[in-house]
Amino acid sequence: MRSTFDFAPYRRSTVGFDRLFNMLEAGQREDDGFPPFDIVRDGEDSYRITLAVAGFRPNDIEVVAQQNQLTVTGQRAEDQDQGDYLHRGIATRSFERRFQLADFIEAGEATFEHGLLSIQLKRVVPEAMKPRKIEISGGANAANDRIEAPKDAQAA
């Protein structure tokens, strides 16, 4: 049993959390599960999303990466040879599947093989965000550094 939660009171009393509430509300919506997909971790910073899109051709599918969202849309072209189907089990309906991507995740190459669409994802952290080591100067020589009076003042 699924119930909906009203985020309106929290939206009024918080600033800057709109994206979080939108993601939570989107997660509550019913999903028909089409097309089915897998998400695989290929390495420390690389992932792959694979969608089962049997019955579609590569030119029927559009993959768009925008900000932190990946959208896969399928619009099947009309069949030229309609035929007299006794049973039609291969889905021909249009679809749109959205994936929320974490910060610094970028979509890479998309491949289509044997009715499976695979999209490579990689975490790319900008240089400015990576930790860097800061050298510490001084050390043993710092204790020997003294301020000395000018030589003329020492003679007097």
Side-chain angles (χ1 to χ4, degrees):
M1 184 169 130
R2 218 174 179 169
S3 62
T4 59
F5 187 81
D6 183 21
F7 291 105
Y10 299 105
R11 283 185 183 273
R12 288 191 295 265
S13 62
T14 58
V15 176
F17 290 94
D18 297 340
R19 187 170 153 221
L20 174 66
F21 291 127
N22 289 342
M23 285 177 17
L24 290 171
E25 288 171 348
Q28 286 184 341
R29 292 187 204 124
E30 287 295 320
D31 185 13
D32 67 354
F34 182 78
F37 66 94
D38 291 336
I39 300 176
V40 178
R41 179 183 223 155
D42 286 334
E44 184 69 27
D45 290 329
S46 60
Y47 306 88
R48 183 180 68 245
I49 296 175
T50 303
L51 291 97
V53 289
F56 287 85
R57 293 182 211 91
N59 56 350
D60 296 337
I61 300 170
E62 180 179 53
V63 179
V64 177
Q66 182 179 7
Q67 293 179 339
N68 287 14
Q69 187 166 349
L70 179 72
T71 305
V72 180
T73 308
Q75 182 74 34
R76 186 160 172 196
E78 294 296 322
D79 286 336
Q80 298 300 334
D81 55 357
Q82 288 295 325
D84 188 17
Y85 287 95
L86 299 177
H87 172 75
R88 189 161 197 160
I90 298 174
T92 59
R93 66 180 183 214
S94 300
F95 68 87
E96 180 176 277
R97 178 69 81 169
R98 295 177 184 263
F99 300 93
Q100 284 296 131
L101 303 178
D103 291 338
F104 312 120
I105 298 290
E106 294 181 3
E109 180 185 20
T111 57
F112 188 91
E113 189 175 1
H114 305 296
L116 298 175
L117 173 69
S118 294
I119 304 164
Q120 299 296 326
L121 304 172
K122 185 161 182 72
R123 181 186 320 270
V124 180
V125 180
E127 286 297 320
M129 300 296 289
K130 290 182 181 177
R132 58 187 170 98
K133 185 175 181 178
I134 299 173
E135 295 295 326
I136 302 172
S137 61
N141 294 337
N144 295 332
D145 293 341
R146 295 191 182 127
I147 299 175
E148 295 183 14
K151 299 224 186 251
D152 295 343
Q154 289 178 354

